[in-house]
Amino acid sequence: MSAAPTLATEPLDEPVFVTAPERDTATRLRHAIADLRASLALWRLGTTLAWTDIKGRYRGSILGPFWVTASTAVMIAALGILYAALFGQSLTDYLPFLTLSLVLWGYLSTVTTEACSCFSGAESAIRARRTPFLLLVGRIVLRNVIVLGHNVLVVVVVFALFGVHPGLTALWCLPGLVLWLLDSIAITVLLGTLGARFRDIPPIVGSLLQIAFFISPVIWKPELIPHAKTWMRFNPFYSLLDVIREPLLDHAVPPVVWGLACVYSALLCLGAAALFLRVRCRLAYWV
């Protein structure tokens, strides 16, 4: 008879919790790598936790997670007709853009919001046993990727109805998806760590996201204000949206947009890694 499953497939060579803040950088790095190794070894557990989160959220519902898909479709239909008239855009040209933008923004905003409670929301798991912190990060990212997969159905239907066929150009979105995955992990680590220490982070991030939604080209096209296009490139959301959105709309992504997206992503990853290495040993006491 096989043994009951445990949280770790093999004992860690380094403790999950290190209580000595005076440790040198090399030691912190070694502990963080041990955390990463343990998280990767438990990928099946992370997948199960992500699915369990989704099932628990929609327990007793008829459509389950497809309620998100249905609400997204209704919002796109309502906003598409309204804003196409307000902006003087053709519905055939505007609705595919709006659909793709809202689906991508929905993923970005949800990951960012849930990242703030990544560690503080898992207090019982962290205090009860030696839970790798990066496993909790993967749990949040994976469950939002699954929800994004449901919402992609809306994009497929709208593209089919309006005859949008991106062709081989769409393959350029694959590097963008890899970039988004790295950014999702980094933002979850960064905001999860800050949210564990400062409980004001979630409302602050929620307010900033509302502002970012309106100043980013999500419901409006960048060409509507061409004189400000240069300044828009200082908005990280503009570049990150374009590296996936433009290829799927059969448009080439300018090299400068790709460069800015990589720079913003590199800064985000470096900041998240530096903060995680610095305060990882304190997370168990902050949650």
Side-chain angles (χ1 to χ4, degrees):
M1 182 179 296
S2 60
T6 59
L7 186 60
T9 56
E10 59 181 15
L12 296 177
D13 55 356
E14 297 288 350
V16 172
F17 303 136
V18 181
T19 58
E22 68 278 6
R23 296 275 192 174
D24 57 85
T25 303
T27 304
R28 292 193 187 108
L29 180 61
R30 190 165 64 253
H31 293 157
I33 293 175
D35 191 298
L36 177 61
R37 287 177 52 202
S39 301
L40 293 176
L42 294 171
W43 67 270
R44 290 185 180 88
L45 175 61
T47 304
T48 302
L49 291 174
W51 275 111
T52 302
D53 288 342
I54 294 176
K55 290 179 180 178
R57 185 180 300 178
Y58 299 101
R59 182 180 291 113
S61 171
I62 297 176
L63 294 180
F66 286 101
W67 272 115
V68 179
T69 306
S71 62
T72 301
V74 171
M75 182 172 63
I76 287 170
L79 292 181
I81 296 173
L82 174 64
Y83 283 100
L86 289 176
F87 296 146
Q89 300 278 313
S90 167
L91 192 62
T92 304
D93 181 59
Y94 178 70
L95 198 58
F97 167 86
L98 180 66
T99 302
L100 190 55
S101 297
L102 287 179
V103 168
L104 294 177
W105 180 263
Y107 172 81
L108 284 176
S109 61
T110 305
V111 166
T112 304
T113 301
E114 294 184 357
C116 299
S117 58
C118 174
F119 301 129
S120 59
E123 176 185 357
S124 58
I126 293 174
R127 292 183 180 275
R129 60 197 316 167
R130 298 168 62 197
T131 305
F133 292 113
L134 295 180
L135 177 67
L136 304 174
V137 173
R139 174 185 185 178
I140 286 183
V141 173
L142 182 57
R143 77 183 179 211
N144 281 285
V145 168
I146 295 172
V147 174
L148 176 63
H150 289 95
N151 290 336
V152 166
L153 294 175
V154 181
V155 178
V156 172
V157 171
V158 171
F159 276 28
L161 290 176
F162 290 91
V164 178
H165 306 291
L168 294 177
T169 308
L171 295 178
W172 282 102
C173 77
L174 297 180
L177 291 173
V178 174
L179 201 64
W180 272 41
L181 184 60
L182 294 175
D183 288 345
S184 299
I185 296 172
I187 197 67
T188 305
V189 171
L190 181 65
L191 293 181
T193 303
L194 292 175
R197 180 64 180 88
F198 305 103
R199 300 310 166 95
D200 296 325
I201 294 296
I204 292 174
V205 169
S207 300
L208 291 177
L209 280 175
Q210 289 182 349
I211 298 173
F213 176 77
F214 290 106
I215 67 174
S216 302
V218 179
I219 60 176
W220 48 271
K221 290 189 173 184
E223 51 265 30
L224 291 177
I225 46 175
H227 61 280
K229 196 166 184 178
T230 301
W231 295 103
M232 277 193 293
R233 291 173 178 170
F234 291 98
N235 180 353
F237 292 109
Y238 167 73
S239 301
L240 291 174
L241 283 170
D242 264 12
V243 295
I244 291 183
R245 181 174 58 193
E246 292 303 292
L248 292 177
L249 293 174
D250 203 19
H251 300 151
V253 180
V256 65
V257 174
W258 264 112
L260 288 172
C262 292
V263 168
Y264 292 138
S265 299
L267 293 175
L268 178 61
C269 291
L270 289 174
L275 181 63
F276 185 69
L277 288 175
R278 180 69 180 174
V279 304
R280 176 183 168 276
C281 59
R282 302 186 180 99
L283 283 176
Y285 305 99
W286 286 351
V287 295

